[in-house]
PDB file of all heavy atoms in Angstrom:
ATOM      1  N   ILE P   1      52.263 -14.990   0.764  1.00  0.00           N
ATOM      2  CA  ILE P   1      52.121 -13.545   0.946  1.00  0.00           C
ATOM      3  C   ILE P   1      51.193 -12.950  -0.106  1.00  0.00           C
ATOM      4  O   ILE P   1      50.395 -12.055   0.188  1.00  0.00           O
ATOM      5  CB  ILE P   1      53.509 -12.854   0.888  1.00  0.00           C
ATOM      6  CG1 ILE P   1      54.478 -13.519   1.876  1.00  0.00           C
ATOM      7  CG2 ILE P   1      53.381 -11.369   1.161  1.00  0.00           C
ATOM      8  CD1 ILE P   1      53.972 -13.582   3.297  1.00  0.00           C
ATOM      9  N   SER P   2      51.298 -13.429  -1.331  1.00  0.00           N
ATOM     10  CA  SER P   2      50.344 -13.004  -2.362  1.00  0.00           C
ATOM     11  C   SER P   2      49.510 -14.212  -2.770  1.00  0.00           C
ATOM     12  O   SER P   2      49.923 -15.033  -3.584  1.00  0.00           O
ATOM     13  CB  SER P   2      51.066 -12.384  -3.570  1.00  0.00           C
ATOM     14  OG  SER P   2      51.951 -13.288  -4.180  1.00  0.00           O
ATOM     15  N   ALA P   3      48.350 -14.296  -2.149  1.00  0.00           N
ATOM     16  CA  ALA P   3      47.399 -15.369  -2.449  1.00  0.00           C
ATOM     17  C   ALA P   3      46.152 -14.736  -3.070  1.00  0.00           C
ATOM     18  O   ALA P   3      46.235 -13.680  -3.704  1.00  0.00           O
ATOM     19  CB  ALA P   3      47.084 -16.161  -1.186  1.00  0.00           C
ATOM     20  N   HIS P   4      44.993 -15.354  -2.885  1.00  0.00           N
ATOM     21  CA  HIS P   4      43.825 -14.911  -3.659  1.00  0.00           C
ATOM     22  C   HIS P   4      43.346 -13.517  -3.304  1.00  0.00           C
ATOM     23  O   HIS P   4      42.889 -12.766  -4.177  1.00  0.00           O
ATOM     24  CB  HIS P   4      42.681 -15.916  -3.496  1.00  0.00           C
ATOM     25  CG  HIS P   4      41.858 -15.741  -2.258  1.00  0.00           C
ATOM     26  ND1 HIS P   4      42.161 -16.363  -1.059  1.00  0.00           N
ATOM     27  CD2 HIS P   4      40.743 -15.000  -2.019  1.00  0.00           C
ATOM     28  CE1 HIS P   4      41.267 -16.031  -0.151  1.00  0.00           C
ATOM     29  NE2 HIS P   4      40.413 -15.199  -0.696  1.00  0.00           N
ATOM     30  N   ARG P   5      43.440 -13.127  -2.034  1.00  0.00           N
ATOM     31  CA  ARG P   5      42.876 -11.835  -1.637  1.00  0.00           C
ATOM     32  C   ARG P   5      43.640 -10.681  -2.269  1.00  0.00           C
ATOM     33  O   ARG P   5      43.041  -9.733  -2.797  1.00  0.00           O
ATOM     34  CB  ARG P   5      42.872 -11.699  -0.110  1.00  0.00           C
ATOM     35  CG  ARG P   5      42.136 -10.459   0.369  1.00  0.00           C
ATOM     36  CD  ARG P   5      41.936 -10.475   1.862  1.00  0.00           C
ATOM     37  NE  ARG P   5      43.207 -10.438   2.591  1.00  0.00           N
ATOM     38  CZ  ARG P   5      43.307 -10.287   3.902  1.00  0.00           C
ATOM     39  NH1 ARG P   5      42.195 -10.207   4.638  1.00  0.00           N
ATOM     40  NH2 ARG P   5      44.484 -10.261   4.494  1.00  0.00           N
ATOM     41  N   LEU P   6      44.969 -10.744  -2.233  1.00  0.00           N
ATOM     42  CA  LEU P   6      45.771  -9.679  -2.830  1.00  0.00           C
ATOM     43  C   LEU P   6      45.661  -9.707  -4.350  1.00  0.00           C
ATOM     44  O   LEU P   6      45.365  -8.686  -4.980  1.00  0.00           O
ATOM     45  CB  LEU P   6      47.229  -9.811  -2.403  1.00  0.00           C
ATOM     46  CG  LEU P   6      48.192  -8.775  -2.993  1.00  0.00           C
ATOM     47  CD1 LEU P   6      47.728  -7.358  -2.691  1.00  0.00           C
ATOM     48  CD2 LEU P   6      49.613  -9.004  -2.480  1.00  0.00           C
ATOM     49  N   ALA P   7      45.896 -10.864  -4.957  1.00  0.00           N
ATOM     50  CA  ALA P   7      45.871 -10.943  -6.419  1.00  0.00           C
ATOM     51  C   ALA P   7      44.502 -10.581  -6.978  1.00  0.00           C
ATOM     52  O   ALA P   7      44.394  -9.853  -7.977  1.00  0.00           O
ATOM     53  CB  ALA P   7      46.274 -12.347  -6.871  1.00  0.00           C
ATOM     54  N   GLY P   8      43.442 -11.069  -6.342  1.00  0.00           N
ATOM     55  CA  GLY P   8      42.095 -10.757  -6.816  1.00  0.00           C
ATOM     56  C   GLY P   8      41.752  -9.291  -6.672  1.00  0.00           C
ATOM     57  O   GLY P   8      41.084  -8.705  -7.534  1.00  0.00           O
ATOM     58  N   SER P   9      42.219  -8.663  -5.577  1.00  0.00           N
ATOM     59  CA  SER P   9      41.950  -7.240  -5.361  1.00  0.00           C
ATOM     60  C   SER P   9      42.670  -6.383  -6.390  1.00  0.00           C
ATOM     61  O   SER P   9      42.129  -5.382  -6.881  1.00  0.00           O
ATOM     62  CB  SER P   9      42.383  -6.836  -3.945  1.00  0.00           C
ATOM     63  OG  SER P   9      41.634  -7.548  -2.965  1.00  0.00           O
ATOM     64  N   VAL P  10      43.907  -6.749  -6.717  1.00  0.00           N
ATOM     65  CA  VAL P  10      44.663  -6.020  -7.740  1.00  0.00           C
ATOM     66  C   VAL P  10      43.985  -6.162  -9.099  1.00  0.00           C
ATOM     67  O   VAL P  10      43.806  -5.177  -9.833  1.00  0.00           O
ATOM     68  CB  VAL P  10      46.117  -6.527  -7.794  1.00  0.00           C
ATOM     69  CG1 VAL P  10      46.855  -5.927  -8.993  1.00  0.00           C
ATOM     70  CG2 VAL P  10      46.849  -6.191  -6.499  1.00  0.00           C
ATOM     71  N   ALA P  11      43.593  -7.374  -9.444  1.00  0.00           N
ATOM     72  CA  ALA P  11      42.933  -7.597 -10.729  1.00  0.00           C
ATOM     73  C   ALA P  11      41.612  -6.835 -10.816  1.00  0.00           C
ATOM     74  O   ALA P  11      41.267  -6.297 -11.881  1.00  0.00           O
ATOM     75  CB  ALA P  11      42.705  -9.094 -10.941  1.00  0.00           C
ATOM     76  N   ARG P  12      40.885  -6.766  -9.718  1.00  0.00           N
ATOM     77  CA  ARG P  12      39.599  -6.063  -9.721  1.00  0.00           C
ATOM     78  C   ARG P  12      39.759  -4.583 -10.075  1.00  0.00           C
ATOM     79  O   ARG P  12      38.857  -3.959 -10.631  1.00  0.00           O
ATOM     80  CB  ARG P  12      38.924  -6.205  -8.354  1.00  0.00           C
ATOM     81  CG  ARG P  12      37.488  -5.676  -8.308  1.00  0.00           C
ATOM     82  CD  ARG P  12      36.842  -6.032  -6.992  1.00  0.00           C
ATOM     83  NE  ARG P  12      37.632  -5.542  -5.865  1.00  0.00           N
ATOM     84  CZ  ARG P  12      37.525  -6.007  -4.622  1.00  0.00           C
ATOM     85  NH1 ARG P  12      36.677  -6.990  -4.354  1.00  0.00           N
ATOM     86  NH2 ARG P  12      38.261  -5.497  -3.656  1.00  0.00           N
ATOM     87  N   GLU P  13      40.928  -4.017  -9.780  1.00  0.00           N
ATOM     88  CA  GLU P  13      41.190  -2.619 -10.135  1.00  0.00           C
ATOM     89  C   GLU P  13      41.629  -2.461 -11.588  1.00  0.00           C
ATOM     90  O   GLU P  13      41.839  -1.344 -12.064  1.00  0.00           O
ATOM     91  CB  GLU P  13      42.265  -2.036  -9.212  1.00  0.00           C
ATOM     92  CG  GLU P  13      41.894  -2.004  -7.745  1.00  0.00           C
ATOM     93  CD  GLU P  13      40.726  -1.077  -7.442  1.00  0.00           C
ATOM     94  OE1 GLU P  13      40.389  -0.234  -8.301  1.00  0.00           O
ATOM     95  OE2 GLU P  13      40.135  -1.203  -6.350  1.00  0.00           O
ATOM     96  N   GLY P  14      41.788  -3.592 -12.297  1.00  0.00           N
ATOM     97  CA  GLY P  14      42.164  -3.527 -13.700  1.00  0.00           C
ATOM     98  C   GLY P  14      43.637  -3.761 -13.968  1.00  0.00           C
ATOM     99  O   GLY P  14      44.129  -3.460 -15.059  1.00  0.00           O
ATOM    100  N   ALA P  15      44.347  -4.323 -13.000  1.00  0.00           N
ATOM    101  CA  ALA P  15      45.773  -4.595 -13.151  1.00  0.00           C
ATOM    102  C   ALA P  15      46.019  -6.102 -13.148  1.00  0.00           C
ATOM    103  O   ALA P  15      45.087  -6.900 -13.070  1.00  0.00           O
ATOM    104  CB  ALA P  15      46.561  -3.910 -12.037  1.00  0.00           C
ATOM    105  N   LEU P  16      47.295  -6.493 -13.233  1.00  0.00           N
ATOM    106  CA  LEU P  16      47.666  -7.904 -13.168  1.00  0.00           C
ATOM    107  C   LEU P  16      48.061  -8.242 -11.733  1.00  0.00           C
ATOM    108  O   LEU P  16      49.026  -7.698 -11.203  1.00  0.00           O
ATOM    109  CB  LEU P  16      48.816  -8.205 -14.135  1.00  0.00           C
ATOM    110  CG  LEU P  16      49.177  -9.679 -14.343  1.00  0.00           C
ATOM    111  CD1 LEU P  16      49.769  -9.889 -15.736  1.00  0.00           C
ATOM    112  CD2 LEU P  16      50.179 -10.169 -13.307  1.00  0.00           C
ATOM    113  N   GLY P  17      47.279  -9.115 -11.103  1.00  0.00           N
ATOM    114  CA  GLY P  17      47.571  -9.587  -9.757  1.00  0.00           C
ATOM    115  C   GLY P  17      48.157 -10.984  -9.818  1.00  0.00           C
ATOM    116  O   GLY P  17      47.753 -11.802 -10.656  1.00  0.00           O
ATOM    117  N   THR P  18      49.099 -11.272  -8.934  1.00  0.00           N
ATOM    118  CA  THR P  18      49.850 -12.519  -9.025  1.00  0.00           C
ATOM    119  C   THR P  18      49.775 -13.335  -7.743  1.00  0.00           C
ATOM    120  O   THR P  18      50.070 -12.831  -6.656  1.00  0.00           O
ATOM    121  CB  THR P  18      51.334 -12.230  -9.339  1.00  0.00           C
ATOM    122  OG1 THR P  18      51.424 -11.382 -10.482  1.00  0.00           O
ATOM    123  CG2 THR P  18      52.092 -13.515  -9.608  1.00  0.00           C
ATOM    124  N   ILE P  19      49.390 -14.596  -7.875  1.00  0.00           N
ATOM    125  CA  ILE P  19      49.420 -15.567  -6.783  1.00  0.00           C
ATOM    126  C   ILE P  19      50.769 -16.279  -6.819  1.00  0.00           C
ATOM    127  O   ILE P  19      51.174 -16.778  -7.871  1.00  0.00           O
ATOM    128  CB  ILE P  19      48.286 -16.599  -6.941  1.00  0.00           C
ATOM    129  CG1 ILE P  19      46.920 -15.921  -6.845  1.00  0.00           C
ATOM    130  CG2 ILE P  19      48.411 -17.712  -5.898  1.00  0.00           C
ATOM    131  CD1 ILE P  19      45.761 -16.836  -7.222  1.00  0.00           C
ATOM    132  N   ALA P  20      51.477 -16.308  -5.699  1.00  0.00           N
ATOM    133  CA  ALA P  20      52.707 -17.100  -5.599  1.00  0.00           C
ATOM    134  C   ALA P  20      52.311 -18.543  -5.318  1.00  0.00           C
ATOM    135  O   ALA P  20      51.636 -18.835  -4.330  1.00  0.00           O
ATOM    136  CB  ALA P  20      53.608 -16.554  -4.503  1.00  0.00           C
ATOM    137  N   SER P  21      52.737 -19.464  -6.165  1.00  0.00           N
ATOM    138  CA  SER P  21      52.206 -20.830  -6.138  1.00  0.00           C
ATOM    139  C   SER P  21      52.703 -21.671  -4.968  1.00  0.00           C
ATOM    140  O   SER P  21      52.016 -22.599  -4.534  1.00  0.00           O
ATOM    141  CB  SER P  21      52.559 -21.540  -7.443  1.00  0.00           C
ATOM    142  OG  SER P  21      53.970 -21.595  -7.628  1.00  0.00           O
ATOM    143  N   ILE P  22      53.862 -21.368  -4.428  1.00  0.00           N
ATOM    144  CA  ILE P  22      54.521 -22.283  -3.515  1.00  0.00           C
ATOM    145  C   ILE P  22      53.841 -22.344  -2.143  1.00  0.00           C
ATOM    146  O   ILE P  22      53.530 -21.323  -1.533  1.00  0.00           O
ATOM    147  CB  ILE P  22      56.021 -21.893  -3.357  1.00  0.00           C
ATOM    148  CG1 ILE P  22      56.776 -22.911  -2.529  1.00  0.00           C
ATOM    149  CG2 ILE P  22      56.167 -20.495  -2.808  1.00  0.00           C
ATOM    150  CD1 ILE P  22      57.005 -24.212  -3.223  1.00  0.00           C
ATOM    151  N   ASP P  23      53.552 -23.550  -1.682  1.00  0.00           N
ATOM    152  CA  ASP P  23      53.140 -23.848  -0.299  1.00  0.00           C
ATOM    153  C   ASP P  23      51.917 -23.072   0.176  1.00  0.00           C
ATOM    154  O   ASP P  23      51.867 -22.594   1.317  1.00  0.00           O
ATOM    155  CB  ASP P  23      54.306 -23.604   0.660  1.00  0.00           C
ATOM    156  CG  ASP P  23      55.417 -24.622   0.481  1.00  0.00           C
ATOM    157  OD1 ASP P  23      55.249 -25.539  -0.343  1.00  0.00           O
ATOM    158  OD2 ASP P  23      56.449 -24.500   1.155  1.00  0.00           O
ATOM    159  N   LEU P  24      50.910 -22.995  -0.668  1.00  0.00           N
ATOM    160  CA  LEU P  24      49.691 -22.278  -0.296  1.00  0.00           C
ATOM    161  C   LEU P  24      48.829 -23.046   0.692  1.00  0.00           C
ATOM    162  O   LEU P  24      47.831 -22.523   1.188  1.00  0.00           O
ATOM    163  CB  LEU P  24      48.890 -21.953  -1.558  1.00  0.00           C
ATOM    164  CG  LEU P  24      49.474 -20.817  -2.418  1.00  0.00           C
ATOM    165  CD1 LEU P  24      48.849 -20.833  -3.814  1.00  0.00           C
ATOM    166  CD2 LEU P  24      49.257 -19.467  -1.751  1.00  0.00           C
ATOM    167  N   ARG P  25      49.209 -24.270   1.007  1.00  0.00           N
ATOM    168  CA  ARG P  25      48.437 -25.044   1.987  1.00  0.00           C
ATOM    169  C   ARG P  25      48.323 -24.320   3.314  1.00  0.00           C
ATOM    170  O   ARG P  25      47.366 -24.555   4.075  1.00  0.00           O
ATOM    171  CB  ARG P  25      49.082 -26.414   2.208  1.00  0.00           C
ATOM    172  CG  ARG P  25      50.411 -26.376   2.958  1.00  0.00           C
ATOM    173  CD  ARG P  25      51.046 -27.757   3.076  1.00  0.00           C
ATOM    174  NE  ARG P  25      52.233 -27.749   3.925  1.00  0.00           N
ATOM    175  CZ  ARG P  25      53.445 -27.390   3.543  1.00  0.00           C
ATOM    176  NH1 ARG P  25      53.633 -26.979   2.289  1.00  0.00           N
ATOM    177  NH2 ARG P  25      54.468 -27.410   4.373  1.00  0.00           N
ATOM    178  N   HIS P  26      49.273 -23.451   3.640  1.00  0.00           N
ATOM    179  CA  HIS P  26      49.279 -22.765   4.927  1.00  0.00           C
ATOM    180  C   HIS P  26      48.057 -21.859   5.107  1.00  0.00           C
ATOM    181  O   HIS P  26      47.749 -21.457   6.230  1.00  0.00           O
ATOM    182  CB  HIS P  26      50.556 -21.943   5.087  1.00  0.00           C
ATOM    183  CG  HIS P  26      51.793 -22.783   5.121  1.00  0.00           C
ATOM    184  ND1 HIS P  26      52.101 -23.605   6.182  1.00  0.00           N
ATOM    185  CD2 HIS P  26      52.795 -22.937   4.214  1.00  0.00           C
ATOM    186  CE1 HIS P  26      53.260 -24.227   5.941  1.00  0.00           C
ATOM    187  NE2 HIS P  26      53.690 -23.840   4.757  1.00  0.00           N
ATOM    188  N   HIS P  27      47.337 -21.561   4.023  1.00  0.00           N
ATOM    189  CA  HIS P  27      46.126 -20.739   4.112  1.00  0.00           C
ATOM    190  C   HIS P  27      44.860 -21.569   4.320  1.00  0.00           C
ATOM    191  O   HIS P  27      43.770 -20.992   4.415  1.00  0.00           O
ATOM    192  CB  HIS P  27      45.958 -19.907   2.837  1.00  0.00           C
ATOM    193  CG  HIS P  27      46.805 -18.672   2.803  1.00  0.00           C
ATOM    194  ND1 HIS P  27      46.729 -17.682   3.761  1.00  0.00           N
ATOM    195  CD2 HIS P  27      47.756 -18.263   1.917  1.00  0.00           C
ATOM    196  CE1 HIS P  27      47.582 -16.711   3.475  1.00  0.00           C
ATOM    197  NE2 HIS P  27      48.223 -17.051   2.370  1.00  0.00           N
ATOM    198  N   HIS P  28      44.982 -22.886   4.389  1.00  0.00           N
ATOM    199  CA  HIS P  28      43.797 -23.745   4.432  1.00  0.00           C
ATOM    200  C   HIS P  28      43.903 -24.711   5.604  1.00  0.00           C
ATOM    201  O   HIS P  28      44.697 -25.667   5.563  1.00  0.00           O
ATOM    202  CB  HIS P  28      43.650 -24.491   3.104  1.00  0.00           C
ATOM    203  CG  HIS P  28      43.503 -23.568   1.927  1.00  0.00           C
ATOM    204  ND1 HIS P  28      42.281 -23.174   1.443  1.00  0.00           N
ATOM    205  CD2 HIS P  28      44.439 -22.910   1.177  1.00  0.00           C
ATOM    206  CE1 HIS P  28      42.463 -22.340   0.428  1.00  0.00           C
ATOM    207  NE2 HIS P  28      43.763 -22.166   0.252  1.00  0.00           N
ATOM    208  N   ALA P  29      43.094 -24.487   6.625  1.00  0.00           N
ATOM    209  CA  ALA P  29      43.196 -25.257   7.867  1.00  0.00           C
ATOM    210  C   ALA P  29      43.003 -26.748   7.634  1.00  0.00           C
ATOM    211  O   ALA P  29      43.691 -27.577   8.255  1.00  0.00           O
ATOM    212  CB  ALA P  29      42.171 -24.739   8.878  1.00  0.00           C
ATOM    213  N   ASP P  30      42.079 -27.126   6.741  1.00  0.00           N
ATOM    214  CA  ASP P  30      41.846 -28.554   6.511  1.00  0.00           C
ATOM    215  C   ASP P  30      43.062 -29.216   5.875  1.00  0.00           C
ATOM    216  O   ASP P  30      43.387 -30.373   6.197  1.00  0.00           O
ATOM    217  CB  ASP P  30      40.597 -28.768   5.654  1.00  0.00           C
ATOM    218  CG  ASP P  30      40.723 -28.151   4.266  1.00  0.00           C
ATOM    219  OD1 ASP P  30      41.326 -27.069   4.140  1.00  0.00           O
ATOM    220  OD2 ASP P  30      40.204 -28.754   3.293  1.00  0.00           O
ATOM    221  N   LEU P  31      43.755 -28.501   5.005  1.00  0.00           N
ATOM    222  CA  LEU P  31      44.947 -29.061   4.368  1.00  0.00           C
ATOM    223  C   LEU P  31      46.111 -29.132   5.352  1.00  0.00           C
ATOM    224  O   LEU P  31      46.890 -30.090   5.331  1.00  0.00           O
ATOM    225  CB  LEU P  31      45.327 -28.223   3.146  1.00  0.00           C
ATOM    226  CG  LEU P  31      44.276 -28.161   2.032  1.00  0.00           C
ATOM    227  CD1 LEU P  31      44.752 -27.270   0.894  1.00  0.00           C
ATOM    228  CD2 LEU P  31      43.945 -29.561   1.506  1.00  0.00           C
ATOM    229  N   VAL P  32      46.224 -28.129   6.217  1.00  0.00           N
ATOM    230  CA  VAL P  32      47.256 -28.166   7.255  1.00  0.00           C
ATOM    231  C   VAL P  32      47.024 -29.364   8.176  1.00  0.00           C
ATOM    232  O   VAL P  32      47.969 -30.090   8.527  1.00  0.00           O
ATOM    233  CB  VAL P  32      47.260 -26.850   8.062  1.00  0.00           C
ATOM    234  CG1 VAL P  32      48.172 -26.967   9.280  1.00  0.00           C
ATOM    235  CG2 VAL P  32      47.709 -25.689   7.176  1.00  0.00           C
ATOM    236  N   ASP P  33      45.753 -29.586   8.555  1.00  0.00           N
ATOM    237  CA  ASP P  33      45.432 -30.733   9.425  1.00  0.00           C
ATOM    238  C   ASP P  33      45.768 -32.053   8.730  1.00  0.00           C
ATOM    239  O   ASP P  33      46.307 -32.982   9.363  1.00  0.00           O
ATOM    240  CB  ASP P  33      43.950 -30.706   9.798  1.00  0.00           C
ATOM    241  CG  ASP P  33      43.607 -29.580  10.764  1.00  0.00           C
ATOM    242  OD1 ASP P  33      44.542 -29.031  11.389  1.00  0.00           O
ATOM    243  OD2 ASP P  33      42.415 -29.250  10.888  1.00  0.00           O
ATOM    244  N   ALA P  34      45.448 -32.145   7.445  1.00  0.00           N
ATOM    245  CA  ALA P  34      45.734 -33.379   6.704  1.00  0.00           C
ATOM    246  C   ALA P  34      47.238 -33.646   6.640  1.00  0.00           C
ATOM    247  O   ALA P  34      47.682 -34.797   6.766  1.00  0.00           O
ATOM    248  CB  ALA P  34      45.152 -33.286   5.295  1.00  0.00           C
TER     249      ALA P  34
END
């Protein structure tokens, strides 16, 4: 739910944005296929 787009957008505004580490493979089609 909080991956690079959300965390990076928050940080760009000057705040602390957080990526949740667990099971991020679901955002990457090649990793899902593997």
